[in-house]
Amino acid sequence: MPNVIEVIELSKRYGNVTAIESLTFSVRAGSLFGFLGSNGSGKSTTIACLSGLTDPTSGIVRLFGKRFDSSSVELKRRIGVMPENLGLFDYLRAEEFLTFHGRMYGLGAAETRRRVDELLDALDLAGEADKPLGKFSSGMRKRVAFAAAILHGPELLFLDEPFESVDPAGVALMKSWLRRFTALGRTVFLTTHVLDTAEKLCDHAAIIHKGGRLIWQGAIPPSTDDERGPADKPFTSLEGLFLSLTGERYASLDWL
Amino acid sequence: MSRGVALFLRLVALRYRLQWAHVRRSIARTVGYVAFQIVVAVIALWALAAGISAFATAAEYDVVRPVVRFVLFAVFVSTIGGSVLLGFGMHQTFSDRALRAYPISALQRFWMRHCIGLMEPLWLVSIAAYGGFALAAWLLDVVPGPLALASAALLLLANYLLAHVLVVSADRLAATPFGSFVLLLSLQLVILAPILISTPEATARWSASWAAVAPFTPPALTADILTGADGNAPPLVLGLWCLAAIVLLAVLEHRAAAQRSPRLRAVCSTSLVDHAAAAVWGGSAPLVAQAMRFYLRNTRVRVNMVLFLPLLAYVVGRFHHSDASGSLTAFEVAYFLGGCLGLVTLPLAMNVFGFDGAGFRRYLLLPCSGADVVRSFAAATTSIGAAYLGLAWLLWLVAAPTPSTPTMLVMLLSQSMALLLVLHSVGIWASVLIPYRGDYERRWSRDPRRGLALLVVAVLVGLPLIVRGTWLDEAPLVEYWYVPIGALAAALCVYSWTLKRAPTVFDRRRDSILLQVEARA
């Protein structure tokens, strides 16, 4: 399978703060790729650079084998993004927002209408027709953002914490759609804090640590010695690997 | 020191630490911040000195009471006007909600918030001005020092509290279904009051009513105390003003603001807006329609639109009847029209991305360039303004049958269109260069963009009127037919240049705009 995402020496700085530093990795077509890291490690900044929200300070991003930046309009048509803060227009209804989205990605009016109706129905949002998005609960907002990301049938999907605040039924539905999505040869790149979910859902993953440094990349479960992590702590679970690599410890607080 | 006072002092320190944290990231901001503090200090010192010298001079000429009354009243009214209409001095570093996280009572939260609010520059200058009069009264031995200082403090308190009462009332009213309409109507009535009571009889009637009420206003009462008026009535009535304002403010703040949903049925996704955008803007139609929908759903824009037409009809009628020739007043009306049209959309056009808040991120992710985003919003605002211009001109022709010649008609249309284009060019640059996180539906009086828009319109409308009054007073205006046409050509150049250059700046500043409008800067 060819690489859909290729990242070479990617760095992003905001003033004196380095959000990500010299990231290099690739993602194969058809994989469900988990991008993991602790809070503030640069996951969302990486997605922002890979989806064209912002331009990196240095480094190269290639999507579908072509150089990608924030002005790559044609490549943007082939990707779907669910950003960190969802990016919803609070004064629109869900149907209006999705219709706008579909039209912006070049879908015809009738096709947009059909897909929007089906998505709203499937995501249990059809009953909220008269409500502006600003009045939606956080879980409902997440569903709308997810619907917008998949509406135009992208070949590559970027999802930033897609399951946070969504109820179990919604999570199960989204997972089943993502599995079907990758079964068709399309690619999903997602970030999550829930390592158990990542371990069960993803076939490949990468871990970045504070300062945006990549410290592990491999298949799940690991297939080579390199991917199994430190020799003294053999891979038992993604959580164990994550903790051993990032040095996270449960602190014992004498006053707690 | 009690725990409440200790916490208050910590909050005061935190206020300045937050300001410093905001500016320390760049040298330009740091320099600007320090320079601003120095300017505020100089103005405050000047106000203090002016207060002392005004009092002393008035005392020398034996006109101390009317002078003190007049100056205190002017400071009082301008402070309320500046804070209520333009939002100066209304910023509160800590909201009641933020302070709820700490173990402090509701009463403590109330006084802490407002005491910190008094440290805003506007109020510091007011403190200095009122303090100057109090010091002068004390130093000249007109009244005892404690009484002078206490009366100045009470006046400041009444001033601050009344400004807040008005602002909170306006916010609460704006959150009700017809609140925005009522607010704008009230504001326009206040602005139009001089025209409405223009007859000598009406003016005399209003003056008599005002003369009966004025002595009981806080500035007049303070002036009476500072100039040594006999009796306990002035301090008592001034104290009652403060008490009433405290109670009113506490009650208003205690009542939760009504949550209002935008009325969404007005525009549906396959409405006239989409069809109009598709007909005119082709490939960018969805983006332009989205921008138009944003404007047409905004309460401010809708209220301005509804109220502007009858206001225009009334003003045009008044102008027409007051000048038989019509030609000179047409010049003024055209500027009035352009300015008002600019105001219909300008407060939003000046901050298009900020009012979309979290939605702004979506524009950057869509398969479109930065130029598409900037131009679509520009297209939406200018189209709405231009459509409204046509509608207003139809009304103008009905209400005032001047201009009678095609030349004058072309002149007036060119003039108002030129003003509209210049105003919207300013709006685009303000959106790109100084983005600000706005509030889609609320914050009637505390939006700095509102003050900026008023300032821009005042400058752009005021300057030509001054030119007209200075140089063109006696000349037949039709002889200058080439001026508005030239102005329109120049405005078109400015607008085209803006549409060409602003997207480049937008692309270059996208990270910083994103941080600003998502309030992460």
Side-chain angles (χ1 to χ4, degrees):
Chain A
M1 285 285 209
N3 286 333
V4 171
I5 303 173
E6 284 176 278
V7 176
I8 303 161
E9 293 290 319
L10 189 76
S11 297
K12 178 71 181 175
R13 286 181 204 91
Y14 294 100
N16 295 327
V17 180
T18 302
I20 46 177
E21 190 175 13
S22 301
L23 271 187
T24 300
F25 64 90
S26 56
V27 179
R28 284 187 188 166
S31 62
L32 218 159
F33 192 90
F35 197 60
L36 318 170
S38 44
N39 292 332
S41 57
K43 300 188 296 295
S44 296
T45 305
T46 306
I47 281 201
C49 291
L50 296 185
S51 59
L53 179 68
T54 185
D55 283 322
T57 310
S58 63
I60 295 170
V61 175
R62 281 205 192 93
L63 299 185
F64 309 106
K66 293 176 185 165
R67 183 84 182 249
F68 177 80
D69 60 32
S70 63
S71 55
S72 307
V73 172
E74 284 311 312
L75 286 177
K76 277 186 177 180
R77 280 189 207 281
R78 298 169 67 184
I79 65 176
V81 188
M82 181 173 163
E84 182 189 14
N85 78 345
L86 308 181
L88 303 180
F89 303 123
D90 287 347
Y91 46 91
L92 294 187
R93 293 178 294 186
E95 171 261 329
E96 289 175 333
F97 174 70
L98 294 176
T99 303
F100 163 69
H101 218 262
R103 302 289 284 154
M104 283 303 296
Y105 279 87
L107 290 181
E111 182 60 16
T112 303
R113 177 87 254 163
R114 187 177 70 82
R115 291 189 189 190
V116 167
D117 285 347
E118 285 178 4
L119 275 171
L120 289 177
D121 204 32
L123 289 167
D124 207 16
L125 293 166
E128 309 291 340
D130 288 334
K131 234 178 173 181
L133 292 173
K135 300 282 174 194
F136 275 31
S137 70
S138 53
M140 285 158 69
R141 289 168 67 83
K142 209 101 191 188
R143 287 169 191 239
V144 174
F146 181 74
I150 62 171
L151 177 70
H152 56 290
E155 295 164 57
L156 170 61
L157 199 52
F158 291 103
L159 306 172
D160 201 345
E161 299 288 352
F163 310 122
E164 213 173 59
S165 0
V166 181
D167 61 39
V171 170
L173 182 73
M174 286 159 75
K175 282 180 183 172
S176 76
W177 283 0
L178 293 180
R179 287 195 184 100
R180 200 166 71 191
F181 194 82
T182 48
L184 292 168
R186 296 171 178 183
T187 312
V188 177
F189 183 98
L190 64 86
T191 69
T192 179
H193 285 116
V194 189
L195 297 176
D196 188 46
T197 299
E199 190 166 353
K200 285 176 183 159
L201 186 67
C202 300
D203 49 40
H204 285 79
I207 298 174
I208 59 167
H209 194 33
K210 298 246 160 65
R213 287 176 296 107
L214 189 75
I215 51 173
W216 184 84
Q217 181 181 4
I220 300 177
S223 54
T224 66
D225 285 344
D226 278 353
E227 292 175 356
R228 285 191 188 95
D232 57 330
K233 289 177 186 167
F235 181 92
T236 50
S237 68
L238 198 54
E239 185 176 73
L241 177 72
F242 183 88
L243 291 174
S244 69
L245 287 171
T246 59
E248 304 278 343
R249 293 285 180 272
Y250 296 105
S252 57
L253 306 172
D254 56 359
W255 49 267
L256 191 65
Chain B
M1 193 188 296
S2 76
R3 203 171 58 85
V5 174
L7 188 56
F8 170 70
L9 293 177
R10 265 186 221 120
L11 286 172
V12 171
L14 181 59
R15 174 187 189 270
Y16 288 104
R17 212 169 285 148
L18 286 171
Q19 286 184 352
W20 178 242
H22 186 67
V23 300
R24 70 183 170 194
R25 281 168 297 169
S26 90
I27 292 174
R29 278 187 182 184
T30 309
V31 170
Y33 177 73
V34 173
F36 180 71
Q37 300 301 327
I38 292 171
V39 167
V40 169
V42 169
I43 293 175
L45 282 174
W46 174 83
L48 184 77
I52 294 172
S53 55
F55 194 100
T57 311
E60 199 177 323
Y61 288 97
D62 209 19
V63 285
V64 68
R65 188 163 296 169
V67 167
V68 175
R69 269 189 178 187
F70 177 79
V71 177
L72 289 185
F73 195 81
V75 175
F76 192 87
V77 170
S78 55
T79 314
I80 286 189
S83 54
V84 175
L85 292 179
L86 305 180
F88 298 138
M90 286 290 107
H91 176 70
Q92 285 185 355
T93 314
F94 305 105
S95 65
D96 186 62
R97 197 192 181 105
L99 291 183
R100 275 169 195 259
Y102 303 101
I104 43 181
S105 69
L107 185 65
Q108 285 174 321
R109 289 199 304 269
F110 183 80
W111 73 255
M112 281 181 189
R113 271 189 304 119
H114 290 295
C115 285
I116 293 172
L118 272 168
M119 288 168 193
E120 288 292 313
L122 179 85
W123 301 111
L124 290 180
V125 173
S126 302
I127 289 172
Y130 295 150
F133 279 93
L135 276 176
W138 180 16
L139 294 173
L140 294 175
D141 229 7
V142 181
V143 283
L147 179 63
L149 294 176
S151 61
L154 281 177
L155 177 62
L156 175 77
L157 194 62
N159 197 347
Y160 174 86
L161 291 169
L162 284 175
H164 272 269
V165 164
L166 285 172
V167 166
V168 177
S169 307
D171 277 351
R172 295 290 186 268
L173 195 59
T176 60
F178 294 101
S180 301
F181 184 86
V182 174
L183 266 176
L184 209 65
L185 190 65
S186 314
L187 187 65
Q188 290 180 345
L189 279 175
V190 170
I191 293 168
L192 288 174
I195 301 174
L196 291 170
I197 53 171
S198 58
T199 61
E201 299 81 27
T203 308
R205 220 172 28 249
W206 277 95
S207 299
S209 309
W210 173 241
V213 174
F216 301 101
T217 56
L221 292 164
T222 309
D224 290 350
I225 298 169
L226 292 179
T227 52
D230 292 332
N232 292 328
L236 199 66
V237 179
L238 188 58
L240 283 175
W241 267 101
C242 294
L243 193 65
I246 288 174
V247 172
L248 202 55
L249 185 60
V251 169
L252 280 168
E253 286 189 348
H254 185 66
R255 284 183 58 188
Q259 292 292 311
R260 184 165 48 123
S261 301
R263 274 164 286 173
L264 296 183
R265 290 176 198 281
V267 187
C268 73
S269 60
T270 51
S271 70
L272 191 66
V273 174
D274 296 270
H275 294 307
V280 180
W281 300 103
S284 302
L287 208 51
V288 177
Q290 151 65 13
M292 281 188 170
R293 186 166 286 120
F294 164 65
Y295 287 106
L296 294 175
R297 280 198 178 153
N298 188 281
T299 307
R300 297 183 198 196
V301 175
R302 291 202 300 210
V303 169
N304 282 355
M305 283 181 161
V306 170
L307 284 179
F308 179 60
L309 287 177
L311 173 73
L312 178 74
Y314 175 77
V315 173
V316 166
R318 295 288 304 193
F319 272 122
H320 175 61
H321 292 302
S322 64
D323 185 341
S325 72
S327 63
L328 291 179
T329 52
F331 183 91
E332 281 136 4
V333 170
Y335 262 98
F336 175 78
L337 182 71
C340 288
L341 280 172
L343 274 181
V344 168
T345 49
L346 197 61
L348 295 173
M350 278 193 158
N351 193 32
V352 284
F353 313 120
F355 277 102
D356 251 353
F360 176 63
R361 180 171 285 237
R362 184 67 59 177
Y363 295 120
L364 301 181
L365 291 169
L366 290 170
C368 57
S369 65
D372 289 335
V373 175
V374 175
R375 285 172 192 156
S376 297
F377 267 94
T381 54
T382 315
S383 300
I384 291 172
Y388 207 61
L389 187 73
L391 194 64
W393 270 109
L394 282 178
L395 186 78
W396 197 93
L397 288 172
V398 173
T402 52
S404 53
T405 64
T407 312
M408 184 57 83
L409 183 63
V410 171
M411 285 174 74
L412 297 181
L413 276 172
S414 308
Q415 197 167 280
S416 42
M417 198 62 208
L419 189 57
L420 189 74
L421 289 175
V422 172
L423 285 172
H424 280 262
S425 301
V426 173
I428 294 167
W429 283 114
S431 287
V432 171
L433 292 175
I434 40 171
Y436 160 79
R437 183 176 168 77
D439 190 330
Y440 166 58
E441 277 287 326
R442 298 187 57 213
R443 289 172 68 102
W444 244 88
S445 52
R446 273 170 280 174
D447 181 359
R449 289 295 173 276
R450 192 173 179 78
L452 187 60
L454 281 169
L455 192 68
V456 168
V457 171
V459 169
L460 288 175
V461 173
L463 273 180
L465 289 178
I466 291 167
V467 171
R468 204 282 272 162
T470 314
W471 291 321
L472 302 179
D473 210 16
E474 300 301 324
L477 205 65
V478 181
E479 286 183 14
Y480 295 92
W481 60 269
Y482 49 86
V483 174
I485 292 171
L488 179 60
L492 277 169
C493 290
V494 169
Y495 192 70
S496 312
W497 179 79
T498 298
L499 290 186
K500 199 174 169 188
R501 294 293 306 157
T504 316
V505 180
F506 173 83
D507 280 333
R508 209 167 49 233
R509 302 192 74 244
R510 53 195 290 149
D511 280 0
S512 109
I513 298 174
L514 187 66
L515 291 175
Q516 284 290 339
V517 301
E518 290 185 350
R520 294 188 294 141

